[in-house]
Amino acid sequence: MKTILVTGSNGLLGQKITEKIRAEKSANLIATSKGADRFPFKDGYIYAEMDILNPDQVRAVIEQYQPDVIIHTAAMTNVDTCHIQREAAYQLNVVATQTLVSLCEEFNIQFIHLSTDFVFDGAAGPYSEEAKPNPVSYYGETKLQAEELVKKSNAKWAILRTILVYGIVSDMSRSNIVLWAKGALEKGNPLNIVNDQYRMPTLAEDLADACLLAVGKEAQGIFHVSGKDMMSVVELVYKVADFYKLDKSLIKEVSAATLNQDAKRPLKTGFILDKAMTELNYHPHSFEEGLEMMDRQMKNN
């Protein structure tokens, strides 16, 4: 059985990977994150506190547990925060990745790196893995720099790019667009939502699947992994309102240009999923199926 170390295990994707490995007993899991373990069950895996900005601590944990694979999910992903706190974004998204990649080279560890549709400018989506990146935000720039470090390394690597991940776990460190829209509409808050940005939202379970498929197949190269449905952001929010029978009149359609966000967003991303489907056997849920799955989980919590 392989030993898999996950960074950012307290995040949504990290917890879904933990859930999956525990349920399937498919690997020895070393879950790592900064601070206390947020996962509700403490059996079936090992938790090690690890700050990816502390190279000595990272080395110590890797030397102690000798993983075969590292799945690197930890990152600063808030686009506006990255725009404002550039040094912090650079340290978390670029420098920490370099620390991990160097150790993967040294100890012959397979490296699975999570990246984003924001490496693209949004002028020609949906994108294949061969499309030329051209980020329009500092967040996208840092994620592209991290990708370049991974690609140049001598480690066995795979880069999984994804889009707008949503889902639910019992102890969330931050929200996501589905939960945010549901919560705001339930409170009766009016929402200004962009109608000119297009995405393929990704269920966290599907992304966790893709990560573990990449491990199992010892995948190498870049893979595009997202949901299969392309929609505008406002369409996504309408679908959430429909699913929960909430008041759609609270939703006001606006263009991205009117929002005055700190950082620019790509207009239309989306992925061509053929490579992940063929080489990884990746098969994502529809957005409606994802909402149903989330709803069941909320009721069970």
Side-chain angles (χ1 to χ4, degrees), residues 184-237:
L185 292 169
E186 281 172 345
K187 291 189 188 100
N189 297 345
L191 297 179
N192 291 338
I193 308 289
V194 289
N195 58 9
D196 56 352
Q197 289 179 0
Y198 293 82
R199 302 287 184 260
M200 289 165 71
T202 311
L203 180 67
E205 275 81 357
D206 288 340
L207 186 54
D209 270 348
C211 290
L212 296 176
L213 287 165
V215 171
K217 295 186 184 298
E218 298 189 353
Q220 298 200 7
I222 298 175
F223 295 87
H224 282 179
V225 173
S226 70
K228 56 185 173 185
D229 303 318
M230 173 78 85
M231 62 192 79
S232 67
V233 177
V234 78
E235 213 179 320
L236 184 160
V237 174

Short mmCIF file of all heavy atoms in Angstrom, two decimals, residues 184-237:
data_model
loop_
_atom_site.label_atom_id
_atom_site.label_comp_id
_atom_site.label_asym_id
_atom_site.label_seq_id
_atom_site.Cartn_x
_atom_site.Cartn_y
_atom_site.Cartn_z
N ALA A 184 -26.86 33.19 1.57
CA ALA A 184 -27.32 34.57 1.35
C ALA A 184 -28.79 34.60 0.96
O ALA A 184 -29.57 35.44 1.45
CB ALA A 184 -26.46 35.23 0.27
N LEU A 185 -29.19 33.69 0.07
CA LEU A 185 -30.59 33.67 -0.38
C LEU A 185 -31.54 33.25 0.75
O LEU A 185 -32.65 33.76 0.87
CB LEU A 185 -30.75 32.74 -1.58
CG LEU A 185 -30.07 33.21 -2.87
CD1 LEU A 185 -30.06 32.10 -3.92
CD2 LEU A 185 -30.74 34.46 -3.44
N GLU A 186 -31.08 32.33 1.61
CA GLU A 186 -31.90 31.92 2.76
C GLU A 186 -32.13 33.08 3.72
O GLU A 186 -33.18 33.18 4.35
CB GLU A 186 -31.23 30.75 3.49
CG GLU A 186 -31.43 29.42 2.79
CD GLU A 186 -30.61 28.29 3.38
OE1 GLU A 186 -29.66 28.55 4.15
OE2 GLU A 186 -30.91 27.13 3.05
N LYS A 187 -31.13 33.97 3.81
CA LYS A 187 -31.28 35.15 4.69
C LYS A 187 -32.06 36.26 4.01
O LYS A 187 -32.33 37.30 4.62
CB LYS A 187 -29.89 35.68 5.07
CG LYS A 187 -29.09 34.79 6.00
CD LYS A 187 -27.83 35.52 6.49
CE LYS A 187 -26.90 34.61 7.25
NZ LYS A 187 -25.78 34.13 6.42
N GLY A 188 -32.40 36.08 2.71
CA GLY A 188 -33.12 37.12 1.99
C GLY A 188 -32.24 38.28 1.55
O GLY A 188 -32.74 39.38 1.30
N ASN A 189 -30.92 38.03 1.44
CA ASN A 189 -30.00 39.10 1.01
C ASN A 189 -30.03 39.25 -0.50
O ASN A 189 -29.90 38.26 -1.22
CB ASN A 189 -28.56 38.77 1.43
CG ASN A 189 -28.40 38.71 2.94
OD1 ASN A 189 -29.26 39.17 3.67
ND2 ASN A 189 -27.30 38.14 3.39
N PRO A 190 -30.16 40.48 -1.01
CA PRO A 190 -30.04 40.67 -2.46
C PRO A 190 -28.61 40.41 -2.93
O PRO A 190 -27.65 40.73 -2.21
CB PRO A 190 -30.43 42.14 -2.67
CG PRO A 190 -30.30 42.79 -1.34
CD PRO A 190 -30.42 41.74 -0.28
N LEU A 191 -28.46 39.79 -4.09
CA LEU A 191 -27.14 39.43 -4.60
C LEU A 191 -26.90 40.04 -5.97
O LEU A 191 -27.75 39.93 -6.86
CB LEU A 191 -27.03 37.90 -4.73
CG LEU A 191 -27.14 37.06 -3.46
CD1 LEU A 191 -27.03 35.58 -3.81
CD2 LEU A 191 -26.05 37.44 -2.47
N ASN A 192 -25.75 40.66 -6.16
CA ASN A 192 -25.29 41.07 -7.49
C ASN A 192 -24.37 39.99 -8.03
O ASN A 192 -23.30 39.77 -7.46
CB ASN A 192 -24.53 42.41 -7.43
CG ASN A 192 -25.45 43.56 -7.09
OD1 ASN A 192 -26.66 43.48 -7.29
ND2 ASN A 192 -24.89 44.63 -6.58
N ILE A 193 -24.78 39.33 -9.11
CA ILE A 193 -24.00 38.19 -9.61
C ILE A 193 -23.64 38.42 -11.08
O ILE A 193 -24.50 38.81 -11.88
CB ILE A 193 -24.79 36.87 -9.48
CG1 ILE A 193 -25.31 36.67 -8.05
CG2 ILE A 193 -23.93 35.68 -9.91
CD1 ILE A 193 -24.27 36.36 -7.01
N VAL A 194 -22.40 38.12 -11.42
CA VAL A 194 -21.94 38.38 -12.80
C VAL A 194 -22.58 37.41 -13.80
O VAL A 194 -22.73 36.22 -13.52
CB VAL A 194 -20.41 38.31 -12.94
CG1 VAL A 194 -19.74 39.49 -12.27
CG2 VAL A 194 -19.84 37.01 -12.41
N ASN A 195 -22.96 37.97 -14.95
CA ASN A 195 -23.58 37.15 -15.99
C ASN A 195 -22.65 36.98 -17.20
O ASN A 195 -23.05 36.41 -18.21
CB ASN A 195 -24.92 37.75 -16.43
CG ASN A 195 -24.78 39.17 -16.95
OD1 ASN A 195 -23.66 39.66 -17.13
ND2 ASN A 195 -25.91 39.84 -17.19
N ASP A 196 -21.41 37.50 -17.09
CA ASP A 196 -20.50 37.42 -18.24
C ASP A 196 -19.21 36.68 -17.91
O ASP A 196 -18.22 36.79 -18.61
CB ASP A 196 -20.20 38.82 -18.80
CG ASP A 196 -19.63 39.77 -17.76
OD1 ASP A 196 -19.59 39.40 -16.56
OD2 ASP A 196 -19.23 40.89 -18.14
N GLN A 197 -19.22 35.91 -16.81
CA GLN A 197 -18.10 35.00 -16.51
C GLN A 197 -18.64 33.58 -16.55
O GLN A 197 -19.68 33.30 -15.95
CB GLN A 197 -17.49 35.30 -15.14
CG GLN A 197 -16.73 36.61 -15.09
CD GLN A 197 -16.16 36.91 -13.71
OE1 GLN A 197 -16.33 36.15 -12.76
NE2 GLN A 197 -15.47 38.04 -13.60
N TYR A 198 -17.90 32.70 -17.23
CA TYR A 198 -18.35 31.32 -17.44
C TYR A 198 -17.35 30.35 -16.83
O TYR A 198 -16.14 30.50 -17.01
CB TYR A 198 -18.54 31.02 -18.94
CG TYR A 198 -19.68 31.80 -19.54
CD1 TYR A 198 -19.50 33.13 -19.93
CD2 TYR A 198 -20.95 31.23 -19.67
CE1 TYR A 198 -20.56 33.86 -20.46
CE2 TYR A 198 -22.01 31.96 -20.19
CZ TYR A 198 -21.81 33.27 -20.58
OH TYR A 198 -22.87 34.00 -21.09
N ARG A 199 -17.88 29.34 -16.14
CA ARG A 199 -17.04 28.36 -15.44
C ARG A 199 -17.65 26.97 -15.58
O ARG A 199 -18.83 26.82 -15.91
CB ARG A 199 -16.95 28.70 -13.95
CG ARG A 199 -16.40 30.10 -13.63
CD ARG A 199 -14.91 30.22 -13.87
NE ARG A 199 -14.41 31.53 -13.47
CZ ARG A 199 -14.17 32.52 -14.32
NH1 ARG A 199 -14.41 32.37 -15.62
NH2 ARG A 199 -13.68 33.67 -13.88
N MET A 200 -16.85 25.95 -15.22
CA MET A 200 -17.35 24.57 -15.11
C MET A 200 -17.11 24.14 -13.66
O MET A 200 -16.04 23.60 -13.34
CB MET A 200 -16.65 23.66 -16.11
CG MET A 200 -17.09 23.94 -17.55
SD MET A 200 -16.03 23.23 -18.84
CE MET A 200 -16.37 21.49 -18.69
N PRO A 201 -18.06 24.41 -12.74
CA PRO A 201 -17.84 24.16 -11.32
C PRO A 201 -17.56 22.69 -11.03
O PRO A 201 -18.13 21.79 -11.66
CB PRO A 201 -19.13 24.62 -10.66
CG PRO A 201 -20.14 24.72 -11.75
CD PRO A 201 -19.40 24.97 -13.01
N THR A 202 -16.67 22.45 -10.06
CA THR A 202 -16.14 21.11 -9.78
C THR A 202 -16.56 20.64 -8.39
O THR A 202 -16.27 21.31 -7.40
CB THR A 202 -14.60 21.15 -9.85
OG1 THR A 202 -14.20 21.79 -11.06
CG2 THR A 202 -14.01 19.74 -9.80
N LEU A 203 -17.21 19.50 -8.34
CA LEU A 203 -17.57 18.89 -7.06
C LEU A 203 -16.29 18.38 -6.38
O LEU A 203 -15.48 17.70 -7.00
CB LEU A 203 -18.55 17.74 -7.30
CG LEU A 203 -19.04 16.98 -6.07
CD1 LEU A 203 -19.91 17.87 -5.19
CD2 LEU A 203 -19.82 15.72 -6.49
N ALA A 204 -16.13 18.71 -5.09
CA ALA A 204 -14.90 18.34 -4.38
C ALA A 204 -14.65 16.83 -4.41
O ALA A 204 -13.50 16.39 -4.53
CB ALA A 204 -14.98 18.85 -2.93
N GLU A 205 -15.71 16.03 -4.34
CA GLU A 205 -15.54 14.56 -4.42
C GLU A 205 -14.91 14.14 -5.75
O GLU A 205 -14.08 13.22 -5.79
CB GLU A 205 -16.90 13.85 -4.29
CG GLU A 205 -17.37 13.61 -2.88
CD GLU A 205 -18.01 14.83 -2.24
OE1 GLU A 205 -18.04 15.91 -2.85
OE2 GLU A 205 -18.47 14.70 -1.11
N ASP A 206 -15.34 14.80 -6.84
CA ASP A 206 -14.80 14.47 -8.16
C ASP A 206 -13.31 14.79 -8.23
O ASP A 206 -12.51 14.03 -8.78
CB ASP A 206 -15.54 15.23 -9.26
CG ASP A 206 -16.95 14.70 -9.50
OD1 ASP A 206 -17.23 13.54 -9.10
OD2 ASP A 206 -17.78 15.42 -10.07
N LEU A 207 -12.94 15.93 -7.64
CA LEU A 207 -11.54 16.34 -7.66
C LEU A 207 -10.69 15.39 -6.80
O LEU A 207 -9.57 15.02 -7.19
CB LEU A 207 -11.41 17.78 -7.18
CG LEU A 207 -10.02 18.42 -7.27
CD1 LEU A 207 -9.43 18.32 -8.67
CD2 LEU A 207 -10.08 19.88 -6.82
N ALA A 208 -11.23 14.98 -5.66
CA ALA A 208 -10.53 14.00 -4.80
C ALA A 208 -10.32 12.70 -5.57
O ALA A 208 -9.24 12.10 -5.52
CB ALA A 208 -11.33 13.76 -3.52
N ASP A 209 -11.36 12.26 -6.29
CA ASP A 209 -11.26 11.07 -7.14
C ASP A 209 -10.10 11.21 -8.13
O ASP A 209 -9.30 10.29 -8.29
CB ASP A 209 -12.54 10.88 -7.97
CG ASP A 209 -13.56 10.04 -7.25
OD1 ASP A 209 -13.21 9.42 -6.24
OD2 ASP A 209 -14.72 10.01 -7.72
N ALA A 210 -10.07 12.35 -8.81
CA ALA A 210 -9.04 12.59 -9.83
C ALA A 210 -7.65 12.52 -9.22
O ALA A 210 -6.73 11.93 -9.81
CB ALA A 210 -9.27 13.93 -10.51
N CYS A 211 -7.49 13.10 -8.03
CA CYS A 211 -6.18 13.06 -7.36
C CYS A 211 -5.74 11.61 -7.12
O CYS A 211 -4.60 11.25 -7.39
CB CYS A 211 -6.25 13.79 -6.02
SG CYS A 211 -6.43 15.58 -6.17
N LEU A 212 -6.69 10.80 -6.63
CA LEU A 212 -6.33 9.41 -6.29
C LEU A 212 -6.19 8.54 -7.55
O LEU A 212 -5.40 7.60 -7.57
CB LEU A 212 -7.33 8.83 -5.30
CG LEU A 212 -7.31 9.57 -3.94
CD1 LEU A 212 -8.39 9.05 -3.00
CD2 LEU A 212 -5.94 9.47 -3.27
N LEU A 213 -6.93 8.87 -8.59
CA LEU A 213 -6.73 8.18 -9.88
C LEU A 213 -5.33 8.48 -10.42
O LEU A 213 -4.65 7.59 -10.94
CB LEU A 213 -7.79 8.62 -10.89
CG LEU A 213 -9.21 8.08 -10.67
CD1 LEU A 213 -10.22 8.86 -11.50
CD2 LEU A 213 -9.28 6.58 -11.02
N ALA A 214 -4.90 9.75 -10.28
CA ALA A 214 -3.56 10.14 -10.74
C ALA A 214 -2.49 9.39 -9.95
O ALA A 214 -1.46 8.98 -10.51
CB ALA A 214 -3.38 11.64 -10.62
N VAL A 215 -2.72 9.19 -8.65
CA VAL A 215 -1.79 8.42 -7.83
C VAL A 215 -1.72 6.98 -8.33
O VAL A 215 -0.65 6.43 -8.59
CB VAL A 215 -2.21 8.43 -6.33
CG1 VAL A 215 -1.36 7.44 -5.53
CG2 VAL A 215 -2.08 9.83 -5.75
N GLY A 216 -2.90 6.37 -8.48
CA GLY A 216 -2.98 4.96 -8.85
C GLY A 216 -2.37 4.67 -10.21
O GLY A 216 -1.73 3.64 -10.41
N LYS A 217 -2.56 5.59 -11.13
CA LYS A 217 -2.06 5.38 -12.50
C LYS A 217 -0.66 5.97 -12.68
O LYS A 217 -0.12 5.96 -13.79
CB LYS A 217 -3.03 6.00 -13.51
CG LYS A 217 -4.38 5.28 -13.50
CD LYS A 217 -5.32 5.78 -14.58
CE LYS A 217 -6.68 5.13 -14.50
NZ LYS A 217 -6.68 3.67 -14.68
N GLU A 218 -0.09 6.50 -11.59
CA GLU A 218 1.23 7.14 -11.67
C GLU A 218 1.28 8.11 -12.85
O GLU A 218 2.21 8.13 -13.65
CB GLU A 218 2.36 6.10 -11.71
CG GLU A 218 2.37 5.25 -10.45
CD GLU A 218 3.58 4.35 -10.31
OE1 GLU A 218 4.38 4.26 -11.26
OE2 GLU A 218 3.71 3.72 -9.25
N ALA A 219 0.22 8.92 -12.93
CA ALA A 219 0.04 9.83 -14.07
C ALA A 219 1.16 10.86 -14.11
O ALA A 219 1.67 11.28 -13.07
CB ALA A 219 -1.30 10.53 -13.93
N GLN A 220 1.53 11.23 -15.34
CA GLN A 220 2.53 12.28 -15.51
C GLN A 220 2.02 13.28 -16.53
O GLN A 220 1.38 12.91 -17.51
CB GLN A 220 3.86 11.66 -15.96
CG GLN A 220 4.40 10.69 -14.92
CD GLN A 220 5.88 10.42 -15.06
OE1 GLN A 220 6.56 11.03 -15.85
NE2 GLN A 220 6.37 9.49 -14.27
N GLY A 221 2.30 14.56 -16.27
CA GLY A 221 1.87 15.61 -17.19
C GLY A 221 0.74 16.45 -16.59
O GLY A 221 0.44 16.35 -15.41
N ILE A 222 0.14 17.25 -17.44
CA ILE A 222 -0.93 18.16 -17.02
C ILE A 222 -2.29 17.55 -17.35
O ILE A 222 -2.48 16.99 -18.43
CB ILE A 222 -0.80 19.53 -17.72
CG1 ILE A 222 0.54 20.19 -17.33
CG2 ILE A 222 -1.96 20.46 -17.37
CD1 ILE A 222 0.82 21.49 -18.06
N PHE A 223 -3.23 17.67 -16.41
CA PHE A 223 -4.59 17.15 -16.62
C PHE A 223 -5.60 18.22 -16.22
O PHE A 223 -5.46 18.86 -15.19
CB PHE A 223 -4.83 15.89 -15.78
CG PHE A 223 -3.97 14.74 -16.18
CD1 PHE A 223 -2.70 14.59 -15.64
CD2 PHE A 223 -4.41 13.81 -17.12
CE1 PHE A 223 -1.88 13.54 -16.02
CE2 PHE A 223 -3.59 12.76 -17.51
CZ PHE A 223 -2.33 12.62 -16.96
N HIS A 224 -6.62 18.38 -17.06
CA HIS A 224 -7.72 19.29 -16.75
C HIS A 224 -8.86 18.52 -16.12
O HIS A 224 -9.37 17.57 -16.70
CB HIS A 224 -8.16 20.02 -18.02
CG HIS A 224 -7.25 21.14 -18.39
ND1 HIS A 224 -7.43 21.93 -19.51
CD2 HIS A 224 -6.14 21.60 -17.77
CE1 HIS A 224 -6.45 22.84 -19.55
NE2 HIS A 224 -5.67 22.66 -18.52
N VAL A 225 -9.22 18.95 -14.91
CA VAL A 225 -10.17 18.20 -14.10
C VAL A 225 -11.20 19.19 -13.55
O VAL A 225 -10.88 20.05 -12.73
CB VAL A 225 -9.43 17.52 -12.92
CG1 VAL A 225 -10.43 16.89 -11.98
CG2 VAL A 225 -8.45 16.48 -13.44
N SER A 226 -12.44 19.09 -14.02
CA SER A 226 -13.50 19.99 -13.53
C SER A 226 -14.83 19.27 -13.64
O SER A 226 -14.89 18.09 -14.01
CB SER A 226 -13.53 21.27 -14.36
OG SER A 226 -14.01 21.00 -15.67
N GLY A 227 -15.90 19.99 -13.31
CA GLY A 227 -17.24 19.48 -13.61
C GLY A 227 -17.43 19.45 -15.12
O GLY A 227 -16.60 19.96 -15.87
N LYS A 228 -18.55 18.86 -15.57
CA LYS A 228 -18.73 18.75 -17.02
C LYS A 228 -19.66 19.81 -17.60
O LYS A 228 -19.81 19.92 -18.81
CB LYS A 228 -19.21 17.35 -17.40
CG LYS A 228 -20.47 16.87 -16.72
CD LYS A 228 -20.73 15.41 -17.11
CE LYS A 228 -21.90 14.82 -16.34
NZ LYS A 228 -22.07 13.40 -16.62
N ASP A 229 -20.29 20.61 -16.71
CA ASP A 229 -21.29 21.58 -17.19
C ASP A 229 -20.72 22.99 -17.21
O ASP A 229 -20.29 23.51 -16.18
CB ASP A 229 -22.53 21.56 -16.29
CG ASP A 229 -23.15 20.17 -16.21
OD1 ASP A 229 -23.23 19.52 -17.27
OD2 ASP A 229 -23.53 19.74 -15.11
N MET A 230 -20.74 23.63 -18.39
CA MET A 230 -20.34 25.03 -18.52
C MET A 230 -21.54 25.92 -18.23
O MET A 230 -22.64 25.67 -18.74
CB MET A 230 -19.82 25.29 -19.94
CG MET A 230 -19.54 26.74 -20.24
SD MET A 230 -18.00 27.33 -19.56
CE MET A 230 -16.85 26.81 -20.86
N MET A 231 -21.34 26.93 -17.40
CA MET A 231 -22.44 27.85 -17.10
C MET A 231 -21.88 29.21 -16.69
O MET A 231 -20.74 29.31 -16.24
CB MET A 231 -23.33 27.29 -15.99
CG MET A 231 -22.62 27.10 -14.67
SD MET A 231 -23.57 26.12 -13.48
CE MET A 231 -23.28 24.45 -14.07
N SER A 232 -22.71 30.24 -16.84
CA SER A 232 -22.31 31.54 -16.30
C SER A 232 -22.44 31.48 -14.78
O SER A 232 -23.16 30.64 -14.24
CB SER A 232 -23.18 32.65 -16.87
OG SER A 232 -24.50 32.51 -16.38
N VAL A 233 -21.74 32.38 -14.10
CA VAL A 233 -21.80 32.37 -12.64
C VAL A 233 -23.23 32.64 -12.16
O VAL A 233 -23.70 32.02 -11.21
CB VAL A 233 -20.79 33.40 -12.05
CG1 VAL A 233 -20.90 33.45 -10.52
CG2 VAL A 233 -19.36 33.03 -12.46
N VAL A 234 -23.95 33.53 -12.85
CA VAL A 234 -25.33 33.80 -12.42
C VAL A 234 -26.23 32.58 -12.65
O VAL A 234 -27.11 32.29 -11.84
CB VAL A 234 -25.90 35.07 -13.09
CG1 VAL A 234 -26.34 34.84 -14.54
CG2 VAL A 234 -27.08 35.62 -12.29
N GLU A 235 -25.95 31.85 -13.72
CA GLU A 235 -26.71 30.61 -13.98
C GLU A 235 -26.50 29.61 -12.83
O GLU A 235 -27.43 28.95 -12.39
CB GLU A 235 -26.19 30.00 -15.29
CG GLU A 235 -27.19 29.28 -16.13
CD GLU A 235 -26.52 28.75 -17.40
OE1 GLU A 235 -25.67 29.46 -18.00
OE2 GLU A 235 -26.83 27.62 -17.77
N LEU A 236 -25.27 29.53 -12.36
CA LEU A 236 -24.94 28.66 -11.24
C LEU A 236 -25.78 29.05 -10.01
O LEU A 236 -26.39 28.19 -9.36
CB LEU A 236 -23.44 28.80 -10.94
CG LEU A 236 -22.80 27.91 -9.87
CD1 LEU A 236 -21.29 27.88 -10.08
CD2 LEU A 236 -23.07 28.39 -8.45
N VAL A 237 -25.85 30.35 -9.74
CA VAL A 237 -26.60 30.81 -8.56
C VAL A 237 -28.10 30.57 -8.75
O VAL A 237 -28.80 30.18 -7.81
CB VAL A 237 -26.26 32.29 -8.26
CG1 VAL A 237 -27.13 32.84 -7.13
CG2 VAL A 237 -24.78 32.43 -7.90
#
